[in-house]
Amino acid sequence: QVELMESGGDSVQAGGSLRLSCVASGYRVGASCMAWFRQAPGKEHEGVAVIDGRYTPAYAKSVKGRFTISRDNGENTVYLQMDSLQPEDTAMYYCAADLRRFFGCSLDQFNTYPSRGQGTQVTVSS
């Protein structure tokens, strides 16, 4: 079982940027589906971005053009660059991995990802 550790969350003003990191340990995740989800208070988990084993990304409509997901297989790390942050981006952000899949990665269901981190908080003020 892979362990995931997120970092990089912070409080920023609207229009600012943050870069989240997710370091995997216990297993090489190089070719696996890796995703970022978020959960705002009182809401369900929302898929934000995913990257597959061919480095192909996919994004939720709400973040497309503002967020960029990337992976460094040598560092066993996935990143989420978040630009033009808005108050509605405020949430706990979670990293997730599905070692069973290398493509056809989903952003639909957080709980379908067997490996999930503890989250890092992002707060955006207006």
Side-chain angles (χ1 to χ4, degrees):
Q1 184 78 353
V2 62
E3 292 188 1
L4 304 174
M5 178 67 72
E6 303 96 334
S7 63
D10 205 344
S11 296
V12 297
Q13 291 192 331
S17 297
L18 285 174
R19 188 192 196 201
L20 305 184
S21 299
C22 170
V23 179
S25 60
Y27 197 87
R28 301 298 297 180
V29 297
S32 305
C33 290
M34 299 292 295
W36 286 95
F37 288 79
R38 66 187 181 187
Q39 186 177 30
K43 294 188 176 182
E44 298 291 322
H45 286 95
E46 175 192 15
V48 175
V50 65
I51 188 166
D52 69 11
R54 293 172 292 195
Y55 292 78
T56 301
Y59 300 94
K61 289 181 181 179
S62 58
V63 306
K64 198 168 186 178
R66 300 188 297 122
F67 290 12
T68 303
I69 188 171
S70 61
R71 66 194 304 164
D72 184 336
N73 290 341
E75 297 294 326
N76 221 27
T77 301
V78 174
Y79 302 98
L80 185 68
Q81 176 67 40
M82 305 188 296
D83 298 317
S84 301
L85 283 161
Q86 300 300 316
E88 52 266 34
D89 295 317
T90 295
M92 185 72 79
Y93 283 71
Y94 298 90
C95 178
D98 190 345
L99 306 182
R100 305 164 300 179
R101 293 183 176 271
F102 310 115
F103 52 88
C105 309
S106 172
L107 273 177
D108 292 337
Q109 294 287 339
F110 180 62
N111 290 334
T112 64
Y113 278 75
S115 301
R116 303 184 291 271
Q118 295 299 307
T120 185
Q121 178 67 38
V122 172
T123 303
V124 185
S125 58
S126 57

Coordinates of all heavy atoms in Angstrom, one line a residue, residues 7-9 17-21 70 79-82:
S7 N 1.5 18.5 0.8 CA 2.0 19.7 1.4 C 1.8 20.9 0.5 O 1.5 20.7 -0.7 CB 3.5 19.6 1.8 OG 4.2 19.4 0.6
G8 N 2.0 22.1 1.0 CA 1.9 23.3 0.2 C 0.7 24.1 0.4 O 0.6 25.2 -0.2
G9 N -0.3 23.6 1.1 CA -1.5 24.4 1.4 C -1.2 25.6 2.2 O -0.3 25.6 3.0
S17 N -1.3 32.4 -6.1 CA -0.9 31.1 -6.6 C -0.4 30.2 -5.5 O 0.2 30.8 -4.5 CB 0.2 31.2 -7.7 OG -0.3 31.9 -8.8
L18 N -0.6 28.9 -5.6 CA 0.0 28.0 -4.7 C 0.4 26.8 -5.5 O -0.1 26.5 -6.6 CB -1.0 27.5 -3.6 CG -1.3 28.5 -2.5 CD1 -2.4 27.9 -1.6 CD2 -0.1 28.8 -1.7
R19 N 1.4 26.0 -5.0 CA 1.8 24.8 -5.6 C 1.8 23.7 -4.5 O 2.5 23.7 -3.5 CB 3.3 24.9 -6.1 CG 3.7 23.7 -6.9 CD 5.2 23.7 -7.2 NE 5.6 22.8 -8.2 CZ 6.8 22.3 -8.4 NH1 7.8 22.6 -7.5 NH2 7.1 21.5 -9.4
L20 N 0.9 22.7 -4.8 CA 0.7 21.6 -3.9 C 1.6 20.5 -4.3 O 1.8 20.3 -5.5 CB -0.7 21.1 -3.8 CG -1.8 22.2 -3.5 CD1 -3.1 21.5 -3.4 CD2 -1.4 22.9 -2.2
S21 N 2.2 19.7 -3.4 CA 3.0 18.6 -3.7 C 2.4 17.3 -3.0 O 1.8 17.4 -1.9 CB 4.4 18.8 -3.1 OG 5.0 19.9 -3.8
S70 N 1.1 17.9 -12.7 CA 2.3 17.3 -13.3 C 2.9 16.3 -12.4 O 2.5 16.2 -11.2 CB 3.4 18.4 -13.5 OG 3.7 19.1 -12.3
Y79 N 2.4 17.1 -8.5 CA 2.2 18.5 -8.2 C 0.9 19.0 -8.7 O 0.3 18.5 -9.7 CB 3.3 19.3 -8.7 CG 4.7 18.9 -8.3 CD1 5.5 18.1 -9.1 CD2 5.2 19.3 -7.1 CE1 6.8 17.7 -8.8 CE2 6.5 18.9 -6.7 CZ 7.3 18.1 -7.5 OH 8.5 17.7 -7.1
L80 N 0.4 20.0 -8.0 CA -0.8 20.8 -8.5 C -0.4 22.3 -8.4 O -0.4 22.8 -7.3 CB -2.0 20.5 -7.8 CG -3.3 21.1 -8.3 CD1 -3.7 20.5 -9.7 CD2 -4.5 21.0 -7.3
Q81 N -0.2 22.9 -9.6 CA 0.1 24.3 -9.6 C -1.3 25.0 -9.8 O -2.0 24.7 -10.7 CB 1.0 24.7 -10.8 CG 1.2 26.1 -11.0 CD 2.0 26.8 -9.9 OE1 3.0 26.2 -9.4 NE2 1.7 28.0 -9.5
M82 N -1.5 25.9 -8.8 CA -2.8 26.6 -8.8 C -2.6 28.1 -9.0 O -2.0 28.7 -8.1 CB -3.6 26.3 -7.5 CG -3.7 24.8 -7.2 SD -4.8 24.4 -5.8 CE -3.8 25.2 -4.5

